[in-house]
Amino acid sequence: KQEVTQIPAALSVPEGENLVLNCSFTDSAIYNLQWFRQDPGKGLTSLLLIQSSQREQTSGRLNASLDKSSGRSTLYIAASQPGDSATYLCAVMNTGFQKLVFGTGTRLLVSP
Amino acid sequence: GAVVSQHPSRVICKSGTSVKIECRSLDFQATTMFWYRQFPKQSLMLMATSNEGSKATYEQGVEKDKFLINHASLTLSTLTVTSAHPEDSSFYICSASFAGARQETQYFGPGTRLLVL
């Protein structure tokens, strides 16, 4: 059974800092991994999707890496801004299934 | 494009009553819809997967008689929480995908906050 864990559970940083969020998964037979953003009481916004054959994806100030063999992914946020404050979720889709297994999330607070 | 809506956005009900939550794909035909539940400060847990015109497939531990899912059309799926109890209070989120999209693409609704008193 796939299990996804995210560290840290919460993170508070001053504006402008670069930061790294971590995601680990137990079953390396994944089809892809996605990073989502969730604002309080809201749905999910897809940020980055990495196919199993890829090692990283970039979008603006965000960079996500994937090391499938070790079961790890990181989300790097450069020059953080207060508007980045949200919960960040990683989710994996196992090969052969359309189901997403979500991690526990990292609550990020960027203070001005 | 690919917008998913949910109604209502929040609902409060008395214990023992039933509540229906709607999930609609506004600009595409959703061949598959997913229902998730999220408890406070926890992650999303998949409850069930439904394909249009077929019975929903429930995840282990999810009571199908308590959480009734209907996907009668390509743009609408409903989740009915029957005989709701306070422990059913949660944030329910649906997502939808369509034939022809990349396998991994799910479009998420904004969620429905359910509070059972």
PDB file of all heavy atoms in Angstrom, chain A residues 2-3 5 22-30 33 52 54-55 65-74 92:
ATOM      1  N   GLN A   2       0.620   2.117  -0.933  1.00  0.00           N
ATOM      2  CA  GLN A   2       1.416   3.337  -1.040  1.00  0.00           C
ATOM      3  C   GLN A   2       1.138   4.283   0.121  1.00  0.00           C
ATOM      4  O   GLN A   2      -0.019   4.535   0.465  1.00  0.00           O
ATOM      5  CB  GLN A   2       1.074   4.033  -2.360  1.00  0.00           C
ATOM      6  CG  GLN A   2       1.808   5.337  -2.634  1.00  0.00           C
ATOM      7  CD  GLN A   2       3.267   5.138  -2.976  1.00  0.00           C
ATOM      8  OE1 GLN A   2       4.112   5.114  -2.081  1.00  0.00           O
ATOM      9  NE2 GLN A   2       3.579   5.013  -4.260  1.00  0.00           N
ATOM     10  N   GLU A   3       2.195   4.778   0.731  1.00  0.00           N
ATOM     11  CA  GLU A   3       2.064   5.779   1.784  1.00  0.00           C
ATOM     12  C   GLU A   3       2.955   6.973   1.431  1.00  0.00           C
ATOM     13  O   GLU A   3       4.102   6.798   1.004  1.00  0.00           O
ATOM     14  CB  GLU A   3       2.460   5.194   3.134  1.00  0.00           C
ATOM     15  CG  GLU A   3       1.502   4.125   3.632  1.00  0.00           C
ATOM     16  CD  GLU A   3       1.868   3.594   5.011  1.00  0.00           C
ATOM     17  OE1 GLU A   3       2.835   4.096   5.596  1.00  0.00           O
ATOM     18  OE2 GLU A   3       1.181   2.671   5.486  1.00  0.00           O
ATOM     19  N   THR A   5       4.446  10.690   2.758  1.00  0.00           N
ATOM     20  CA  THR A   5       4.722  11.499   3.946  1.00  0.00           C
ATOM     21  C   THR A   5       5.393  12.795   3.545  1.00  0.00           C
ATOM     22  O   THR A   5       6.234  12.808   2.636  1.00  0.00           O
ATOM     23  CB  THR A   5       5.651  10.733   4.912  1.00  0.00           C
ATOM     24  OG1 THR A   5       5.066   9.454   5.201  1.00  0.00           O
ATOM     25  CG2 THR A   5       5.837  11.503   6.205  1.00  0.00           C
ATOM     26  N   ASN A  22       9.633  18.666   1.510  1.00  0.00           N
ATOM     27  CA  ASN A  22       9.999  17.290   1.204  1.00  0.00           C
ATOM     28  C   ASN A  22       8.796  16.353   1.163  1.00  0.00           C
ATOM     29  O   ASN A  22       7.843  16.522   1.925  1.00  0.00           O
ATOM     30  CB  ASN A  22      10.973  16.767   2.259  1.00  0.00           C
ATOM     31  CG  ASN A  22      12.262  17.552   2.273  1.00  0.00           C
ATOM     32  OD1 ASN A  22      13.064  17.468   1.356  1.00  0.00           O
ATOM     33  ND2 ASN A  22      12.455  18.349   3.309  1.00  0.00           N
ATOM     34  N   CYS A  23       8.881  15.393   0.295  1.00  0.00           N
ATOM     35  CA  CYS A  23       7.832  14.401   0.135  1.00  0.00           C
ATOM     36  C   CYS A  23       8.510  13.042  -0.058  1.00  0.00           C
ATOM     37  O   CYS A  23       9.453  12.935  -0.850  1.00  0.00           O
ATOM     38  CB  CYS A  23       6.967  14.744  -1.069  1.00  0.00           C
ATOM     39  SG  CYS A  23       5.759  13.491  -1.546  1.00  0.00           S
ATOM     40  N   SER A  24       8.041  12.026   0.665  1.00  0.00           N
ATOM     41  CA  SER A  24       8.590  10.692   0.471  1.00  0.00           C
ATOM     42  C   SER A  24       7.450   9.698   0.286  1.00  0.00           C
ATOM     43  O   SER A  24       6.358   9.888   0.838  1.00  0.00           O
ATOM     44  CB  SER A  24       9.467  10.275   1.657  1.00  0.00           C
ATOM     45  OG  SER A  24       8.711  10.250   2.852  1.00  0.00           O
ATOM     46  N   PHE A  25       7.709   8.662  -0.489  1.00  0.00           N
ATOM     47  CA  PHE A  25       6.689   7.649  -0.756  1.00  0.00           C
ATOM     48  C   PHE A  25       7.314   6.268  -0.656  1.00  0.00           C
ATOM     49  O   PHE A  25       8.517   6.092  -0.891  1.00  0.00           O
ATOM     50  CB  PHE A  25       6.033   7.870  -2.126  1.00  0.00           C
ATOM     51  CG  PHE A  25       6.984   8.134  -3.256  1.00  0.00           C
ATOM     52  CD1 PHE A  25       7.429   7.101  -4.068  1.00  0.00           C
ATOM     53  CD2 PHE A  25       7.419   9.420  -3.530  1.00  0.00           C
ATOM     54  CE1 PHE A  25       8.310   7.349  -5.115  1.00  0.00           C
ATOM     55  CE2 PHE A  25       8.301   9.676  -4.569  1.00  0.00           C
ATOM     56  CZ  PHE A  25       8.756   8.642  -5.364  1.00  0.00           C
ATOM     57  N   THR A  26       6.488   5.293  -0.280  1.00  0.00           N
ATOM     58  CA  THR A  26       7.020   3.978   0.055  1.00  0.00           C
ATOM     59  C   THR A  26       7.125   3.035  -1.136  1.00  0.00           C
ATOM     60  O   THR A  26       7.976   2.150  -1.147  1.00  0.00           O
ATOM     61  CB  THR A  26       6.147   3.318   1.138  1.00  0.00           C
ATOM     62  OG1 THR A  26       4.790   3.274   0.674  1.00  0.00           O
ATOM     63  CG2 THR A  26       6.223   4.100   2.439  1.00  0.00           C
ATOM     64  N   ASP A  27       6.295   3.207  -2.133  1.00  0.00           N
ATOM     65  CA  ASP A  27       6.296   2.320  -3.296  1.00  0.00           C
ATOM     66  C   ASP A  27       6.819   3.090  -4.507  1.00  0.00           C
ATOM     67  O   ASP A  27       6.187   4.063  -4.940  1.00  0.00           O
ATOM     68  CB  ASP A  27       4.874   1.807  -3.567  1.00  0.00           C
ATOM     69  CG  ASP A  27       4.814   0.782  -4.690  1.00  0.00           C
ATOM     70  OD1 ASP A  27       5.825   0.593  -5.393  1.00  0.00           O
ATOM     71  OD2 ASP A  27       3.743   0.168  -4.871  1.00  0.00           O
ATOM     72  N   SER A  28       7.949   2.664  -5.028  1.00  0.00           N
ATOM     73  CA  SER A  28       8.587   3.418  -6.110  1.00  0.00           C
ATOM     74  C   SER A  28       7.948   3.185  -7.484  1.00  0.00           C
ATOM     75  O   SER A  28       8.318   3.822  -8.460  1.00  0.00           O
ATOM     76  CB  SER A  28      10.072   3.066  -6.183  1.00  0.00           C
ATOM     77  OG  SER A  28      10.242   1.697  -6.468  1.00  0.00           O
ATOM     78  N   ALA A  29       6.969   2.275  -7.551  1.00  0.00           N
ATOM     79  CA  ALA A  29       6.312   1.993  -8.835  1.00  0.00           C
ATOM     80  C   ALA A  29       5.243   3.036  -9.122  1.00  0.00           C
ATOM     81  O   ALA A  29       4.053   2.727  -9.190  1.00  0.00           O
ATOM     82  CB  ALA A  29       5.702   0.589  -8.807  1.00  0.00           C
ATOM     83  N   ILE A  30       5.694   4.253  -9.306  1.00  0.00           N
ATOM     84  CA  ILE A  30       4.742   5.333  -9.524  1.00  0.00           C
ATOM     85  C   ILE A  30       4.675   5.695 -10.996  1.00  0.00           C
ATOM     86  O   ILE A  30       5.637   5.509 -11.751  1.00  0.00           O
ATOM     87  CB  ILE A  30       5.086   6.582  -8.684  1.00  0.00           C
ATOM     88  CG1 ILE A  30       6.419   7.195  -9.144  1.00  0.00           C
ATOM     89  CG2 ILE A  30       5.116   6.242  -7.203  1.00  0.00           C
ATOM     90  CD1 ILE A  30       6.691   8.555  -8.542  1.00  0.00           C
ATOM     91  N   LEU A  33       4.154  12.026 -10.064  1.00  0.00           N
ATOM     92  CA  LEU A  33       4.020  12.705  -8.774  1.00  0.00           C
ATOM     93  C   LEU A  33       3.601  14.139  -9.047  1.00  0.00           C
ATOM     94  O   LEU A  33       4.119  14.793  -9.965  1.00  0.00           O
ATOM     95  CB  LEU A  33       5.345  12.653  -7.999  1.00  0.00           C
ATOM     96  CG  LEU A  33       5.336  13.297  -6.606  1.00  0.00           C
ATOM     97  CD1 LEU A  33       6.245  12.493  -5.657  1.00  0.00           C
ATOM     98  CD2 LEU A  33       5.759  14.737  -6.650  1.00  0.00           C
ATOM     99  N   SER A  52       7.174   9.768 -14.174  1.00  0.00           N
ATOM    100  CA  SER A  52       8.136   8.869 -13.524  1.00  0.00           C
ATOM    101  C   SER A  52       9.484   8.856 -14.242  1.00  0.00           C
ATOM    102  O   SER A  52      10.508   8.570 -13.630  1.00  0.00           O
ATOM    103  CB  SER A  52       7.575   7.458 -13.444  1.00  0.00           C
ATOM    104  OG  SER A  52       7.336   6.946 -14.738  1.00  0.00           O
ATOM    105  N   GLN A  54      10.883  11.462 -15.541  1.00  0.00           N
ATOM    106  CA  GLN A  54      11.515  12.773 -15.431  1.00  0.00           C
ATOM    107  C   GLN A  54      12.176  12.926 -14.070  1.00  0.00           C
ATOM    108  O   GLN A  54      11.837  12.238 -13.114  1.00  0.00           O
ATOM    109  CB  GLN A  54      10.469  13.891 -15.628  1.00  0.00           C
ATOM    110  CG  GLN A  54       9.822  13.859 -16.998  1.00  0.00           C
ATOM    111  CD  GLN A  54       8.703  14.872 -17.137  1.00  0.00           C
ATOM    112  OE1 GLN A  54       7.953  15.108 -16.197  1.00  0.00           O
ATOM    113  NE2 GLN A  54       8.592  15.466 -18.309  1.00  0.00           N
ATOM    114  N   ARG A  55      13.095  13.892 -13.999  1.00  0.00           N
ATOM    115  CA  ARG A  55      13.774  14.134 -12.729  1.00  0.00           C
ATOM    116  C   ARG A  55      13.364  15.463 -12.105  1.00  0.00           C
ATOM    117  O   ARG A  55      13.509  15.647 -10.902  1.00  0.00           O
ATOM    118  CB  ARG A  55      15.280  14.097 -12.931  1.00  0.00           C
ATOM    119  CG  ARG A  55      15.800  12.721 -13.305  1.00  0.00           C
ATOM    120  CD  ARG A  55      17.311  12.628 -13.141  1.00  0.00           C
ATOM    121  NE  ARG A  55      17.740  12.798 -11.754  1.00  0.00           N
ATOM    122  CZ  ARG A  55      17.760  11.813 -10.855  1.00  0.00           C
ATOM    123  NH1 ARG A  55      17.349  10.600 -11.187  1.00  0.00           N
ATOM    124  NH2 ARG A  55      18.185  12.029  -9.630  1.00  0.00           N
ATOM    125  N   SER A  65      11.683  18.254  -7.886  1.00  0.00           N
ATOM    126  CA  SER A  65      12.565  17.173  -8.319  1.00  0.00           C
ATOM    127  C   SER A  65      11.989  15.838  -7.893  1.00  0.00           C
ATOM    128  O   SER A  65      11.179  15.760  -6.967  1.00  0.00           O
ATOM    129  CB  SER A  65      13.956  17.354  -7.719  1.00  0.00           C
ATOM    130  OG  SER A  65      13.900  17.181  -6.310  1.00  0.00           O
ATOM    131  N   LEU A  66      12.397  14.803  -8.576  1.00  0.00           N
ATOM    132  CA  LEU A  66      11.913  13.459  -8.273  1.00  0.00           C
ATOM    133  C   LEU A  66      13.069  12.469  -8.328  1.00  0.00           C
ATOM    134  O   LEU A  66      13.800  12.418  -9.314  1.00  0.00           O
ATOM    135  CB  LEU A  66      10.838  13.038  -9.273  1.00  0.00           C
ATOM    136  CG  LEU A  66      10.351  11.595  -9.185  1.00  0.00           C
ATOM    137  CD1 LEU A  66       9.658  11.339  -7.853  1.00  0.00           C
ATOM    138  CD2 LEU A  66       9.425  11.246 -10.349  1.00  0.00           C
ATOM    139  N   ASP A  67      13.228  11.704  -7.253  1.00  0.00           N
ATOM    140  CA  ASP A  67      14.173  10.591  -7.218  1.00  0.00           C
ATOM    141  C   ASP A  67      13.348   9.343  -6.933  1.00  0.00           C
ATOM    142  O   ASP A  67      13.079   9.014  -5.769  1.00  0.00           O
ATOM    143  CB  ASP A  67      15.233  10.803  -6.137  1.00  0.00           C
ATOM    144  CG  ASP A  67      16.289   9.713  -6.144  1.00  0.00           C
ATOM    145  OD1 ASP A  67      16.043   8.630  -6.718  1.00  0.00           O
ATOM    146  OD2 ASP A  67      17.375   9.935  -5.581  1.00  0.00           O
ATOM    147  N   LYS A  68      12.904   8.697  -7.995  1.00  0.00           N
ATOM    148  CA  LYS A  68      11.969   7.592  -7.840  1.00  0.00           C
ATOM    149  C   LYS A  68      12.579   6.428  -7.076  1.00  0.00           C
ATOM    150  O   LYS A  68      11.921   5.802  -6.252  1.00  0.00           O
ATOM    151  CB  LYS A  68      11.502   7.119  -9.219  1.00  0.00           C
ATOM    152  CG  LYS A  68      10.238   6.300  -9.182  1.00  0.00           C
ATOM    153  CD  LYS A  68       9.734   6.000 -10.567  1.00  0.00           C
ATOM    154  CE  LYS A  68      10.579   4.988 -11.277  1.00  0.00           C
ATOM    155  NZ  LYS A  68       9.921   4.423 -12.470  1.00  0.00           N
ATOM    156  N   SER A  69      13.843   6.163  -7.329  1.00  0.00           N
ATOM    157  CA  SER A  69      14.474   4.990  -6.699  1.00  0.00           C
ATOM    158  C   SER A  69      14.543   5.118  -5.188  1.00  0.00           C
ATOM    159  O   SER A  69      14.426   4.137  -4.463  1.00  0.00           O
ATOM    160  CB  SER A  69      15.872   4.762  -7.274  1.00  0.00           C
ATOM    161  OG  SER A  69      16.698   5.894  -7.029  1.00  0.00           O
ATOM    162  N   SER A  70      14.724   6.343  -4.714  1.00  0.00           N
ATOM    163  CA  SER A  70      14.788   6.539  -3.263  1.00  0.00           C
ATOM    164  C   SER A  70      13.442   6.941  -2.686  1.00  0.00           C
ATOM    165  O   SER A  70      13.317   7.101  -1.468  1.00  0.00           O
ATOM    166  CB  SER A  70      15.833   7.603  -2.915  1.00  0.00           C
ATOM    167  OG  SER A  70      15.423   8.878  -3.367  1.00  0.00           O
ATOM    168  N   GLY A  71      12.454   7.109  -3.542  1.00  0.00           N
ATOM    169  CA  GLY A  71      11.116   7.447  -3.070  1.00  0.00           C
ATOM    170  C   GLY A  71      11.012   8.847  -2.500  1.00  0.00           C
ATOM    171  O   GLY A  71      10.361   9.040  -1.468  1.00  0.00           O
ATOM    172  N   ARG A  72      11.637   9.810  -3.182  1.00  0.00           N
ATOM    173  CA  ARG A  72      11.636  11.166  -2.650  1.00  0.00           C
ATOM    174  C   ARG A  72      11.386  12.206  -3.728  1.00  0.00           C
ATOM    175  O   ARG A  72      11.780  12.042  -4.880  1.00  0.00           O
ATOM    176  CB  ARG A  72      12.961  11.476  -1.959  1.00  0.00           C
ATOM    177  CG  ARG A  72      13.231  10.630  -0.742  1.00  0.00           C
ATOM    178  CD  ARG A  72      14.524  11.030  -0.050  1.00  0.00           C
ATOM    179  NE  ARG A  72      14.756  10.212   1.135  1.00  0.00           N
ATOM    180  CZ  ARG A  72      15.766  10.382   1.971  1.00  0.00           C
ATOM    181  NH1 ARG A  72      16.636  11.350   1.746  1.00  0.00           N
ATOM    182  NH2 ARG A  72      15.901   9.601   3.011  1.00  0.00           N
ATOM    183  N   SER A  73      10.746  13.280  -3.285  1.00  0.00           N
ATOM    184  CA  SER A  73      10.567  14.452  -4.139  1.00  0.00           C
ATOM    185  C   SER A  73      10.727  15.686  -3.276  1.00  0.00           C
ATOM    186  O   SER A  73      10.420  15.672  -2.080  1.00  0.00           O
ATOM    187  CB  SER A  73       9.184  14.450  -4.792  1.00  0.00           C
ATOM    188  OG  SER A  73       8.968  15.650  -5.528  1.00  0.00           O
ATOM    189  N   THR A  74      11.225  16.752  -3.874  1.00  0.00           N
ATOM    190  CA  THR A  74      11.326  18.021  -3.172  1.00  0.00           C
ATOM    191  C   THR A  74      10.681  19.111  -4.010  1.00  0.00           C
ATOM    192  O   THR A  74      10.712  19.069  -5.243  1.00  0.00           O
ATOM    193  CB  THR A  74      12.779  18.413  -2.890  1.00  0.00           C
ATOM    194  OG1 THR A  74      13.469  18.544  -4.135  1.00  0.00           O
ATOM    195  CG2 THR A  74      13.477  17.392  -2.015  1.00  0.00           C
ATOM    196  N   VAL A  92       0.979  11.011  -5.317  1.00  0.00           N
ATOM    197  CA  VAL A  92       1.532  10.097  -6.301  1.00  0.00           C
ATOM    198  C   VAL A  92       0.423   9.270  -6.925  1.00  0.00           C
ATOM    199  O   VAL A  92      -0.597   8.988  -6.301  1.00  0.00           O
ATOM    200  CB  VAL A  92       2.598   9.158  -5.686  1.00  0.00           C
ATOM    201  CG1 VAL A  92       3.741   9.961  -5.112  1.00  0.00           C
ATOM    202  CG2 VAL A  92       1.995   8.250  -4.651  1.00  0.00           C
TER     203      VAL A  92
END
